[in-house]
């Protein structure tokens, strides 16, 4: 008991006025606004796909973009909740990415079914994955840096969702930049690598976010 | 320790405002309600103390992730469970790391380390010098493997009576073997 009393005394002496961490919704809103600004700047810098007007006439393209943005929002909110030891006592909201990811899979499946006759496969392949990773790098670093200031007890999951959130920004940017409608190519070189990046986040979370 | 009348949420709010006294009370109260929780999970008192210290340190590090708009205890328990799992994981990982494969030491093991010096068979003759009932009880318990309850049922005695008879039989046997 003495050692506990000594520790309490030492910790009390260390105590100073401390600003509480922001609410997770405010934190995720900050991430979303910053990522949206980053996306807008990237699109201004690199330009929109030349056939953007034509592409927006395809309803599946719009639905795909909306659900992809939904993944970004849901993963941001969930990662910020997971940054708190008690998930800010909003456990159910932390599961938000699951229904959005399921919806996204359904949308991709329907877009695939509607792709008849199939759009031509572009010649390039891994370059798309590379571009997504490059564009996602900055948001990923920022999100991890922010998460480290909290105290996540679900650090693997938080890391995975943070990288999924960052890579969804990269995927959004590429869909708006690259003139390509081949759903097979998009699944193979955009979305599957996005998921792989998410899995890498589980491992990075273990290394970077453990406290 | 003075009785704390303020809620834990109030104490934490005051602590975050820099009130050292409130913080000290809060940590003391936290240790008070976490100790029984840890005692249920760990058998050693030293382990409980070590882990409790780790949890208090973690609470100190993570205190900025709490605000008084939500209950304090679920927040503190989340950290406590996290540290407990971490502690058990490390401990069992260490046990596995330092465990020795039986194949590595089987050559240095003695053949019959558990062989008893005296077996039922080796004192069979002495047992039959006991009364008929005592011999029967020992035979059923030690040769045929019946439990006291089963022996009692089979020979129509109470369980206590079988125990008493067995105890007397052991004493008598001991006397005979010593002579």
């Amino acid at each position: 008991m003495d050692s506990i009393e000594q520790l309490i005394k030492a910790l009390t002496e260390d105590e100073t006025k401390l600003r509480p961490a922001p609410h997770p919704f405010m934190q995720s809103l900050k991430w979303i606004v910053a990522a949206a600004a980053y996306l807008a700047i990237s699109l201004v810098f690199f330009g929109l796909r030349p056939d953007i007007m034509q592409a927006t006439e395809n309803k599946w393209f719009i639905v795909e973009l909306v659900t992809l943005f939904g993944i970004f929002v849901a993963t941001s909110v969930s990662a910020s909740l997971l940054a708190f030891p008690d998930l800010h006592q909003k456990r159910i909201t932390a599961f938000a990415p699951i229904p959005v990811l399921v919806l996204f899979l359904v949308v991709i499946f329907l877009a695939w079914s509607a792709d008849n006759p199939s759009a031509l496969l572009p010649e390039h392949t891994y370059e798309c994955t590379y571009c997504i990773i490059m564009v996602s790098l900055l948001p990923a670093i920022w999100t991890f840096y922010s998460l480290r200031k909290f105290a996540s007890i679900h650090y693997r999951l938080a890391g995975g969702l943070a990288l999924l959130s960052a890579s969804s920004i990269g995927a959004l940017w590429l869909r708006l930049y690259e003139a390509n409608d081949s759903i097979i190519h998009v699944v193979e070189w955009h979305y599957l690598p996005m998921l792989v990046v998410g899995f890498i986040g589980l491992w990075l979370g273990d290394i970077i976010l453990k406290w | 320790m003075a009785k704390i009348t303020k809620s834990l949420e109030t104490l934490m709010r005051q602590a975050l405002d820099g009130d050292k006294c409130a913080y000290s009370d809060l940590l003391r109260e936290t240790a008070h309600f976490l100790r029984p929780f840890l005692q249920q999970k760990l058998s050693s008192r030293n382990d409980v103390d070590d882990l409790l210290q780790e949890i208090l340190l973690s609470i100190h590090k993570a205190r900025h992730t709490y605000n008084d708009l939500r209950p304090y205890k679920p927040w503190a328990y989340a950290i406590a469970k996290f540290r407990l799992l971490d502690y058990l994981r490390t401990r069992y990982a260490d046990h596995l790391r330092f465990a020795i494969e039986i194949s590595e030491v089987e050559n240095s093991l003695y053949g019959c380390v558990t062989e008893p010096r005296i077996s039922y068979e080796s004192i069979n003759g002495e047992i039959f010098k006991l009364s008929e009932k005592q011999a029967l009880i020992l035979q059923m318990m030690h040769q045929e493997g019946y439990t006291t309850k089963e022996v009692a049922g089979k020979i129509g005695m109470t369980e206590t009576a079988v125990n008493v008879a067995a105890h007397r039989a052991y004493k008598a046997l001991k006397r005979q073997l010593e002579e």
Side-chain angles (χ1 to χ4, degrees):
Chain A
M1 204 54 147
D2 281 348
S3 55
I4 300 287
E5 273 304 315
Q6 277 173 10
L7 178 71
I8 290 174
K9 206 176 159 196
L11 295 179
T12 307
E13 279 165 14
D14 195 29
E15 179 65 358
T16 50
K17 192 175 161 79
L18 202 66
R19 205 175 71 173
H23 193 280
F25 292 160
M26 285 309 292
Q27 180 63 38
S28 51
L29 188 65
K30 211 159 83 177
W31 287 342
I32 291 165
V33 170
Y38 175 69
L39 184 64
I41 292 166
S42 307
L43 286 171
V44 167
F45 188 75
F46 292 104
L48 280 166
R49 57 192 281 180
D51 63 340
I52 186 76
M53 294 312 287
Q54 200 186 330
T56 51
E57 283 170 17
N58 178 0
K59 68 173 180 186
W60 289 115
F61 177 70
I62 299 294
V63 177
E64 183 192 326
L65 287 186
V66 170
T67 42
L68 190 54
F69 186 73
I71 289 179
F72 166 64
V73 173
T75 47
S76 299
V77 171
S78 185
S80 63
L81 284 171
L82 286 166
F84 290 79
D86 58 343
L87 309 185
H88 216 270
Q89 291 167 38
K90 291 177 178 62
R91 184 166 283 271
I92 293 171
T93 318
F95 288 104
I98 295 173
V100 184
L101 278 168
V102 170
L103 182 67
F104 184 70
L105 285 178
V106 171
V107 167
I108 292 296
F109 177 74
L110 292 176
W112 197 332
S113 308
D115 186 29
N116 197 9
S118 295
L120 283 175
L121 271 171
E123 284 182 7
H124 62 270
T125 51
Y126 67 90
E127 291 87 341
C128 286
T129 307
Y130 177 74
C131 287
I132 289 175
I133 291 171
M134 283 297 123
V135 172
S136 311
L137 217 52
L138 208 61
I141 292 169
W142 190 48
T143 318
F144 263 86
Y145 175 73
S146 309
L147 282 174
R148 264 189 70 84
K149 292 181 185 168
F150 292 80
S152 177
I153 62 171
H154 306 277
Y155 40 85
R156 287 191 196 98
L157 219 46
L161 286 172
L163 276 203
L164 197 55
S165 165
S167 60
S168 60
I169 283 293
L172 257 176
W173 167 78
L174 197 58
R175 282 304 270 149
L176 291 169
Y177 168 74
E178 185 199 20
N180 161 45
D181 285 318
S182 168
I183 196 79
I184 296 170
H185 168 85
V186 168
V187 169
E188 198 176 354
W189 297 104
H190 294 210
Y191 298 140
L192 282 179
M194 194 177 106
L195 285 180
V196 172
V197 168
F199 280 110
I200 292 171
L202 297 175
W203 169 69
L204 277 180
D206 195 14
I207 295 169
I208 299 173
L209 302 177
K210 198 172 179 184
W211 59 289
Chain B
M1 190 173 74
K3 176 95 180 124
I4 309 296
T5 50
K6 289 175 191 166
S7 73
L8 296 167
E9 290 77 15
T10 311
L11 287 174
M12 188 53 143
R13 191 186 59 232
Q14 291 173 343
L16 288 173
D17 281 338
D19 184 340
K20 288 180 194 288
C21 198
Y23 191 48
S24 165
D25 287 344
L26 176 83
L27 290 177
R28 231 169 254 126
E29 276 295 296
T30 306
H32 184 69
F33 71 73
L34 285 180
R35 186 175 282 279
F37 165 71
L38 297 176
Q39 277 168 342
Q40 278 178 354
K41 313 281 176 187
L42 302 168
S43 52
S44 156
R45 193 191 156 94
N46 286 343
D47 284 351
V48 170
D49 274 351
D50 287 351
L51 187 54
L52 193 53
Q53 288 188 42
E54 260 188 62
I55 292 169
L56 291 180
L57 267 172
S58 300
I59 284 176
H60 180 70
K61 275 194 221 166
R63 67 197 190 282
H64 66 289
T65 62
Y66 177 80
N67 61 28
D68 61 333
L69 298 174
R70 57 196 205 275
Y72 172 79
K73 276 190 176 177
W75 178 83
Y77 270 113
I79 294 175
K81 281 179 195 162
F82 168 60
R83 283 294 171 229
L84 173 68
L85 286 178
D86 223 25
Y87 186 83
L88 292 175
R89 207 178 289 128
T90 316
R91 195 176 153 156
Y92 285 111
D94 280 350
H95 277 216
L96 284 176
R97 201 176 308 132
F98 297 120
I100 300 167
E101 281 285 320
I102 194 78
S103 58
E104 290 172 25
V105 291
E106 65 185 353
N107 292 337
S108 58
L109 290 175
Y110 293 106
C112 307
V113 286
T114 54
E115 192 177 330
R117 276 190 306 124
I118 299 172
S119 66
Y120 179 86
E121 285 72 19
S122 68
I123 54 167
N124 211 2
E126 299 299 325
I127 286 171
F128 286 103
K129 288 180 191 165
L130 298 170
S131 74
E132 198 179 327
K133 194 176 271 180
Q134 284 176 335
L136 179 64
I137 287 170
L138 290 195
Q139 187 187 352
M140 288 180 86
M141 285 171 74
H142 296 284
Q143 195 178 26
E144 292 164 19
Y146 289 108
T147 62
T148 316
K149 196 174 177 181
E150 286 165 342
V151 173
K154 282 196 180 290
I155 61 175
M157 287 170 74
T158 65
E159 213 176 318
T160 319
V162 171
N163 269 327
V164 171
H167 180 70
R168 285 183 183 153
Y170 297 139
K171 277 177 94 173
L173 254 180
K174 194 182 169 195
R175 266 198 311 273
Q176 287 174 22
L177 289 168
E178 278 169 356
E179 279 167 8

